[in-house]
């Protein structure tokens, strides 16, 4: 019987960070896995609104240095939606974003949209890789 404990591999995707336009997550290698789920946790959000907010998007590429990266859309393999932090109501919430397509490498990137104001947000993310070619994936150690 397959179980979720041994059938999933988790690794950090975005360290706990104060969001800014240049925040970029870890490059995740999806080789040997058939599914990829990002789990994002928003710790706090202050002063966010229509004039200052953050967009967390998924990017994919075939090269390890991500020099060929493109933003993933629903037409190119995004499951769910980009996370738009435009309200303080997102504090202490989680969101998910999945990826199903042919690019080997994926990562999260943050865009900060500022017309005016001083919004701040802190968050982190992990990625769950599943349906790996080799089992078990999780052997109980820290990553």
């Amino acid at each position: 019987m397959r179980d979720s404990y041994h059938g999933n591999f988790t690794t950090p995707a975005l360290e706990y960070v104060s969001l800014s336009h240049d925040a970029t997550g870890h490059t995740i290698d999806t080789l040997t896995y058939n599914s990829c789920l990002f789990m994002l946790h928003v710790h706090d959000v202050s002063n966010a609104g229509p004039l200052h907010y953050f967009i967390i998007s998924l990017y994919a590429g075939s090269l390890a240095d991500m020099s060929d990266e493109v933003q993933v859309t629903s037409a190119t393999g995004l499951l769910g939606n980009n996370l738009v932090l435009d309200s303080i109501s997102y504090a202490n919430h989680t969101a998910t974003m999945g990826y199903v397509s042919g690019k080997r490498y994926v990562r999260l990137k943050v865009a900060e949209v500022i017309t005016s104001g001083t919004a701040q947000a802190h968050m982190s993310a992990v990625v769950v890789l599943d349906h790996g070619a080799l089992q078990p994936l999780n052997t109980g150690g820290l990553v």
Side-chain angles (χ1 to χ4, degrees), residues 51-67:
L51 299 178
H52 191 171
Y53 57 95
F54 304 93
I55 303 169
I56 296 85
S57 304
L58 187 61
Y59 284 75
S62 296
L63 303 174
D65 67 359
M66 295 293 281
S67 59

Side-chain angles (χ1 to χ4, degrees), residues 39-42 83 90-96:
M39 296 184 295
L40 301 88
H41 177 259
V42 180
L83 178 59
Y90 288 101
N92 293 312
H93 281 82
T94 60
T96 57

Side-chain angles (χ1 to χ4, degrees), residues 70-137:
V70 294
Q71 186 173 350
V72 181
T73 65
S74 60
T76 59
L78 178 65
L79 301 177
N81 298 302
N82 293 329
L83 178 59
V84 179
L85 300 177
D86 60 357
S87 166
I88 61 170
S89 65
Y90 288 101
N92 293 312
H93 281 82
T94 60
T96 57
M97 216 182 277
Y99 177 69
V100 290
S101 195
K103 301 290 183 183
R104 179 172 172 177
Y105 300 97
V106 292
R107 69 179 174 190
L108 297 171
K109 291 182 86 171
V110 177
E112 183 175 17
V113 180
I114 306 171
T115 303
S116 67
T118 57
Q120 293 183 345
H122 296 86
M123 65 169 291
S124 62
V126 296
V127 63
V128 178
L129 300 166
D130 194 9
H131 304 104
L134 303 173
Q135 299 286 326
L137 301 175

